[in-house]
Amino acid sequence: FSDIGKITMPVYLLHPSIASMTRMLLLKTGIDNIFIHFTLGVLVAWCLSIFIYRIASKNKYTDFLFYPAKYWKI
């Protein structure tokens, strides 16, 4: 659970935009089934959010977007 807990905020921030893009692509391709929209929207949004975070966390400039308090010096 400690690994999952570290990525909850980035997934929370990224998943709405990824899910909406997935749903728009499905609608553009003519897929109207709500079960497919829900399933692919959730799976793609979560998996792609985790993937983007793993890549972004390796660079301090992109990691700043998710955890700015780590880089504040008072």
Side-chain angles (χ1 to χ4, degrees):
F1 282 117
S2 63
D3 289 337
I4 295 170
K6 292 177 186 175
I7 62 172
T8 54
M9 182 57 97
V11 169
Y12 177 73
L13 293 174
L14 291 172
H15 88 274
S17 58
I18 296 171
S20 65
M21 287 187 287
T22 304
R23 293 196 62 222
M24 286 190 300
L25 287 173
L26 289 172
L27 286 172
K28 290 284 185 183
T29 57
I31 300 172
D32 294 332
N33 188 341
I34 189 70
F35 179 74
I36 295 173
H37 274 257
F38 180 76
T39 305
L40 281 179
V42 169
L43 289 176
V44 170
W46 285 349
C47 293
L48 199 56
S49 297
I50 292 169
F51 179 73
I52 290 171
Y53 172 69
R54 299 278 168 137
I55 291 172
S57 66
K58 294 179 183 180
N59 185 346
K60 70 178 183 178
Y61 299 112
T62 53
D63 190 42
F64 177 78
L65 297 171
F66 301 115
Y67 299 111
K70 262 182 18 181
Y71 301 99
W72 290 344
K73 292 184 181 181
I74 296 176

